[in-house]
Amino acid sequence: MSGEIRKKPSPRTDAAERELRQWMVRRYHRAGDRLPADVELAQMLGVARSTAIAALDRLEAAGIIVRRQGSGTFVRSLPLPADLTPGMETHESL
């Protein structure tokens, strides 16, 4: 068994992660954009700071954000909207 600690799924963290993904898409964030501090994100989502941090941990593990101690949290790659079919995000000439 690896050193990874597994926690049972948290509905609040699941919801906060989904909302953060949608918020980044709706706000048209791009790679390199800085996100608000975790305290501000928690207030925006109406969750405890620890829940916001857990959601950010998941986004970081998924490669969507990167955290830099002393600098902040930045978008690494934007998540695709749920209603977007992969491959359809580019326009090609017929």
Side-chain angles (χ1 to χ4, degrees), residues 53-73:
I53 290 171
L56 290 169
D57 287 344
R58 290 180 181 184
L59 294 176
E60 185 174 33
I64 294 170
I65 63 168
V66 61
R67 292 170 169 159
R68 296 187 191 120
Q69 189 172 359
S71 296
T73 302

Side-chain angles (χ1 to χ4, degrees), residues 21-73:
R21 286 174 182 259
Q22 292 170 0
W23 177 77
M24 285 191 293
V25 169
R26 285 191 312 262
R27 300 277 302 209
Y28 301 104
H29 281 92
R30 295 184 213 151
D33 286 353
R34 186 172 187 219
L35 298 181
D38 52 10
V39 174
E40 293 176 52
L41 291 173
Q43 289 175 344
M44 178 186 80
L45 296 169
V47 298
R49 182 174 177 237
S50 60
T51 301
I53 290 171
L56 290 169
D57 287 344
R58 290 180 181 184
L59 294 176
E60 185 174 33
I64 294 170
I65 63 168
V66 61
R67 292 170 169 159
R68 296 187 191 120
Q69 189 172 359
S71 296
T73 302

